[in-house]
Amino acid sequence: MDDILILEQLKADEAAGFKNLFDKYYKQLCLQAFFLLNNSEEAEDVVQAFFLKLWQEKQYFQIETSLKSYLKSAIRNICLNRIKQRKTYVELALEDADFVADENSDKVLENKELQYRIDKALSTLPDQCRLVFTIVALENKKYQEAADEIGVSINTIKTQLKRAFSKMREQMASFK
């Protein structure tokens, strides 16, 4: 069917004009979109959305050039915008990945620094105090278990733990 006749039918608001337009150009436009997007499903989605918008918003009244040129230009522009959006999305994803990597590397350094400070603070504790702190605070054993393991009373465990926490707090105060 002739493009001029299809355009006249569209402008007369005839559904047959839209059907003729769709039948004549759908496959061509899908192929064009596929070559640009390299994805057949996305190409079909683009063309279908375009035809829907063309009909609903009566955009065919704006066509002043040839119908075929208008359709091909419109699809090309839509596809190029999609490609641009993909690039932007990929760039943003890469920036996010870089940010997360930087943030994680900062946390790893912080954790290493923290571990170093804890080890240093532990090394300054007296032997029995360090042993009690290690058993109760780091190994999560109960006071009675620690007392049995070391061979001292629960009160000794509590006293040594209190001293250990006090000294550890002093040593760690500068780390924030």
Side-chain angles (χ1 to χ4, degrees):
M1 177 167 264
D2 185 50
D3 285 355
I4 295 171
L5 183 58
I6 292 173
L7 203 50
E8 287 175 5
Q9 288 176 328
L10 286 170
K11 289 182 179 180
D13 237 4
E14 294 178 22
F18 183 76
K19 182 182 180 336
N20 291 331
L21 175 73
F22 188 86
D23 290 344
K24 183 172 182 178
Y25 287 106
Y26 179 75
K27 288 183 182 177
Q28 290 176 37
L29 296 174
C30 283
L31 191 59
Q32 178 188 355
F34 173 74
F35 284 128
L36 291 167
L37 299 172
N38 202 25
N39 181 320
S40 61
E41 291 173 1
E42 187 177 12
E44 285 185 38
D45 288 345
V46 164
V47 174
Q48 288 171 4
F50 168 73
F51 272 114
L52 185 62
K53 187 174 179 181
L54 180 77
W55 179 253
Q56 287 178 337
E57 296 179 9
K58 300 184 188 293
Q59 292 179 342
Y60 42 82
F61 282 109
Q62 300 168 5
I63 300 173
E64 295 174 4
T65 60
S66 77
L67 183 58
K68 184 175 185 176
S69 296
Y70 175 84
L71 297 173
K72 288 190 168 218
S73 293
I75 293 298
R76 185 186 70 247
N77 291 336
I78 293 168
C79 290
L80 292 176
N81 285 337
R82 286 260 180 135
I83 292 168
K84 187 176 178 182
Q85 287 171 346
R86 279 187 203 158
K87 286 181 182 176
T88 303
Y89 177 76
V90 168
E91 289 168 359
L92 288 173
L94 289 174
E95 286 175 15
D96 287 348
D98 287 344
F99 176 75
V100 168
D102 288 346
E103 194 173 271
N104 286 342
S105 63
D106 289 345
K107 285 182 181 178
V108 167
L109 290 175
E110 268 183 37
N111 288 340
K112 284 183 179 181
E113 175 69 18
L114 177 62
Q115 187 60 50
Y116 172 76
R117 295 264 180 123
I118 291 171
D119 291 342
K120 187 175 177 183
L122 270 173
S123 69
T124 64
L125 295 176
D127 292 340
Q128 189 173 22
C129 201
R130 182 179 339 114
L131 181 60
V132 169
F133 183 83
T134 303
I135 292 171
V136 176
L138 301 179
E139 294 177 9
N140 291 323
K141 291 188 178 176
K142 297 183 189 287
Y143 291 167
Q144 187 62 55
E145 291 174 314
D148 293 343
E149 189 174 320
I150 299 173
V152 294
S153 71
I154 290 180
N155 284 337
T156 302
I157 295 293
K158 289 178 183 179
T159 303
Q160 292 294 325
L161 196 57
K162 183 177 178 182
R163 286 183 188 154
F165 275 117
S166 176
K167 289 187 182 211
M168 291 293 286
R169 257 188 241 106
E170 287 173 17
Q171 295 284 330
M172 301 300 292
S174 63
F175 186 77
K176 299 239 177 189

